[in-house]
Amino acid sequence: DLHVSGTSVVQVTATDADDPSYGNSARVIYSILQGQPYFSVEPETGIIRTALPNMNRENREQYQVVIQAKDMGGQMGGLSGTTTVNITLTDVNDNPPRFPQSTIHLRIPESSPVGTAIGSVKATDADTGKNAEVEYRIIDGDGTDMFDIVTQKDTQEGIITVRKPLDYETRRLYTLKVEAENTHVDPRFYYLGPFKDTAIVKISVEDVDEPPVFSRSSYLFEVHEDIELGTIIGTVMARDPDSASSPIRFSLDRHTDLDRIFNIHSGNGSIYTSKPLDREISQWHNLSVIAAEINNPKDTTRVPVYVRILDVNDNAPQFAVFYDTFVCENARAGQLIQTISAVDKDDPLGGQKFFFSLAAVNPNFTVQDNEDNTARILTRRNGFSRHEISTYLLPVVISDNDYPIQSSTGTLTIRVCACDSRGNMQSCSAEALLLPAGLSTGALVAILLCIIILLVIVVLFAALKRQRKKEPLILSKEDIRDNIVSYNDEGGGEEDTQAFDIGTLRNPAAIEDKKLRRDIIPETLFVPRRTPSAPDNTDVRDFINQRLKEHDTDPSAPPYDSLATYAYEGNDSIAESLSSLESGTTEGDQNYDYLREWGPRFNKLAEMYGGGESDKDIS
């Protein structure tokens, strides 16, 4: 912007190649062909100047000026050239901000939280750049403490925000006077007037159905733990802030009172106890009370309620710990054997104070109160014998000094022990008196180990005996596969009629079916093949050969390739074998007359095989 005419803008210069010393052929004269009446040019110097005062950028910003340069001093016949000059007017802060309206109306619900943007105001400025920068402020009105205004730099707007909570029932209309002022003012243009403007902003608060409002942000109630059930401990108050003033209903959030110790009157908000209180279990109860409009139950408000339980002396003091007390047999009268202390669940204002005494006079021990919540247990006589009495029971009465006084009786168990000369306990067992005086602990351990070893040996011996009973009756290396019994004692002679009857071999049909082996424990059971019985007159040799063939062809029998030896009597017998099988292998007759020389026990065999009788007669 230019406010004075004749201001130099720019100088143009034209050159001529003619000889300047030859007449006027190189003398150049400048003139303006385009750009009047805004600009002019000096003919001799080519300086372009403004021709009009108060040129305003806001009206026209761009100008195009055409300048002509002509030699021969500008006379007729001279040569000329032209140039175009583009001139732009730069901005200066010569325009103040202006509100397009003198009064601005805005609306906002009363429930809008603090910091909510209500609306914006904007003052226009014809200038550009920093000359158009504006700052907004609230300079007057009845809502200066309720609202703020913030300048938005990128849009050059003033944003009005809520500063404090609104209440439709308290005030419904606020009036603000807002000012917009340039931040960069040019002193040269002060004469143009103040570079600021003002507007009236009216803000209307709209009614909203609000939730109930409590009289306090939180409540604290104190109550003694011994109050009766149903006692009111305090009352919360809430109201409907709306103009309709709907009735309020109160309730407790049961998540904050899981044990349902408290309850509340829904109509007046009085909180009362529904279960006994106990400070020793819980000293604080943090409740949450809910207030809701009866006409709109979904619109609720919560408030914290802190209940502090005050102490009442309702617990008796007790021993602090379990005391393992002993007295030495060689103790003397007045000797300290134990220091005791007590604890109390109550918490009186003046602190804990305990008194110790005996429930009854005791001839053996006494209690001495130290007056610092501890006491000493002392002996009243010399010498104790654990052989006579190994344990003493000492009742001690502990009482406090609060009102009402509480007391309890704790019983100390005092063992009588053997101690060394320094009073160190060695043994408290009465049975230890029965042990030899010179028997040490290591000897006792050795005796115990010996007893254990002997027990183990006895158990192993019994197990071996049981295992032997399960072994086969015949211990020969040769396995006997027939019903042959091994006798380990001498026969009974002629009078022994209970001996084995050889008639069984003569009558195989008399053998029981599926009769198990008696000499070994059977491992598998199988069904033997049935073979036709031999006739009754078959002799023993034919019978045994038949059974041998039967076992050789039996697939379930063990694959023995040799004939088993039956009734093997060992190597130490002075008598030769009596087996009829062996006698059958000889070609000639056997002489059994030597049987009569063996005594009366072999007379029966001598009659059967001796006397010149043949084997055929035996069969």
Side-chain angles (χ1 to χ4, degrees), residues 173-247:
L173 181 64
Y174 293 91
T175 301
L176 304 176
K177 187 176 183 180
V178 179
E179 179 185 75
E181 182 180 13
N182 283 135
T183 57
H184 301 87
V185 180
D186 192 340
R188 295 177 299 172
F189 305 105
Y190 279 160
Y191 67 92
L192 296 177
F195 285 81
K196 56 186 176 181
D197 193 17
T198 60
I200 301 299
V201 179
K202 293 186 177 183
I203 301 175
S204 299
V205 180
E206 297 178 344
D207 187 24
V208 175
D209 189 7
E210 299 175 277
V213 177
F214 284 95
S215 59
R216 301 180 191 174
S217 58
S218 64
Y219 293 86
L220 173 62
F221 300 133
E222 294 183 344
V223 60
H224 287 88
E225 61 179 326
D226 61 344
I227 62 172
E228 298 180 357
L229 295 181
T231 302
I232 296 176
I233 64 173
T235 302
V236 297
M237 299 180 63
R239 64 177 180 84
D240 182 9
D242 298 323
S243 57
S245 186
S246 175

Side-chain angles (χ1 to χ4, degrees), residues 549-567:
K549 182 178 180 181
E550 177 182 336
H551 282 278
D552 290 338
T553 58
D554 188 0
S556 61
Y560 291 115
D561 297 330
S562 62
L563 179 65
T565 302
Y566 291 85

Side-chain angles (χ1 to χ4, degrees), residues 480-484 544 548 563-569 579 581:
I480 307 304
R481 292 293 173 176
D482 208 336
N483 191 14
I484 304 300
I544 293 177
L548 178 61
L563 179 65
T565 302
Y566 291 85
Y568 179 71
E569 61 177 335
S579 174
L581 297 178

Side-chain angles (χ1 to χ4, degrees), residues 28 41 155 334 401 409 426 459 510:
V28 178
V41 63
T155 61
N401 67 337
T409 301
Q426 290 183 337
V459 172

Side-chain angles (χ1 to χ4, degrees), residues 50-323:
T50 59
L52 294 178
N54 298 325
M55 297 182 67
N56 195 347
R57 183 201 63 83
E58 287 72 30
N59 295 332
R60 185 175 179 181
E61 184 177 2
Q62 298 289 337
Y63 295 89
Q64 193 175 64
V65 178
V66 179
I67 302 298
Q68 181 187 61
K70 190 174 183 181
D71 57 6
M72 297 298 293
Q75 296 178 4
M76 293 294 294
L79 300 176
S80 64
T82 60
T83 184
T84 300
V85 180
N86 294 317
I87 300 175
T88 301
L89 296 183
T90 58
D91 183 53
V92 294
N93 191 5
D94 58 350
N95 295 283
R98 291 287 183 265
F99 283 105
Q101 298 175 347
S102 59
T103 303
I104 302 172
H105 294 275
L106 298 175
R107 292 180 176 274
I108 184 172
E110 62 174 336
S111 60
S112 300
V114 174
T116 301
I118 304 173
S120 62
V121 295
K122 185 174 184 179
T124 60
D125 193 326
D127 299 320
T128 60
K130 67 177 183 178
N131 296 323
E133 292 182 359
V134 178
E135 185 175 357
Y136 299 90
R137 65 176 62 92
I138 298 174
I139 60 175
D140 198 5
D142 53 13
T144 55
D145 60 337
M146 300 295 295
F147 303 95
D148 281 331
I149 189 168
V150 180
T151 302
Q152 195 77 22
K153 295 296 183 180
D154 53 348
T155 61
Q156 290 298 305
E157 293 180 332
I159 308 300
I160 300 176
T161 59
V162 179
R163 186 176 181 181
K164 292 182 179 180
L166 304 175
D167 188 5
Y168 173 82
E169 288 72 26
T170 302
R171 187 159 194 160
R172 306 179 183 182
L173 181 64
Y174 293 91
T175 301
L176 304 176
K177 187 176 183 180
V178 179
E179 179 185 75
E181 182 180 13
N182 283 135
T183 57
H184 301 87
V185 180
D186 192 340
R188 295 177 299 172
F189 305 105
Y190 279 160
Y191 67 92
L192 296 177
F195 285 81
K196 56 186 176 181
D197 193 17
T198 60
I200 301 299
V201 179
K202 293 186 177 183
I203 301 175
S204 299
V205 180
E206 297 178 344
D207 187 24
V208 175
D209 189 7
E210 299 175 277
V213 177
F214 284 95
S215 59
R216 301 180 191 174
S217 58
S218 64
Y219 293 86
L220 173 62
F221 300 133
E222 294 183 344
V223 60
H224 287 88
E225 61 179 326
D226 61 344
I227 62 172
E228 298 180 357
L229 295 181
T231 302
I232 296 176
I233 64 173
T235 302
V236 297
M237 299 180 63
R239 64 177 180 84
D240 182 9
D242 298 323
S243 57
S245 186
S246 175
I248 305 299
R249 183 181 298 276
F250 299 93
S251 61
L252 274 176
D253 184 356
R254 288 303 175 186
H255 291 91
T256 61
D257 184 28
L258 297 176
D259 296 330
R260 296 182 176 269
I261 299 176
F262 301 94
N263 212 334
I264 189 170
H265 291 288
S266 60
N268 57 17
S270 298
I271 302 175
Y272 60 92
T273 59
S274 57
K275 288 184 179 180
L277 303 177
D278 192 348
R279 187 201 68 87
E280 286 71 37
I281 295 178
S282 180
Q283 186 176 357
W284 286 92
H285 295 274
N286 301 325
L287 309 178
S288 180
V289 177
I290 304 172
E293 298 180 11
I294 295 179
N295 298 332
N296 186 13
K298 295 182 180 181
D299 206 357
T300 61
T301 304
R302 294 172 177 264
V303 67
V305 177
Y306 306 105
V307 182
R308 181 183 179 185
I309 309 301
L310 302 179
D311 185 41
V312 174
N313 191 28
D314 57 350
N315 291 279
Q318 298 176 347
F319 282 134
V321 295
F322 173 77
Y323 295 102

Side-chain angles (χ1 to χ4, degrees), residues 8 12 97 137 154 198 224 253-254 289 302 318 355 380 390 420 442 470 513 541 558 608:
S8 175
V12 296
R137 65 176 62 92
D154 53 348
T198 60
H224 287 88
D253 184 356
R254 288 303 175 186
V289 177
R302 294 172 177 264
Q318 298 176 347
F355 302 95
R380 296 191 64 180
S390 62
D420 57 15
K470 297 180 180 180
D513 293 342
R541 179 182 302 175
M608 294 175 62

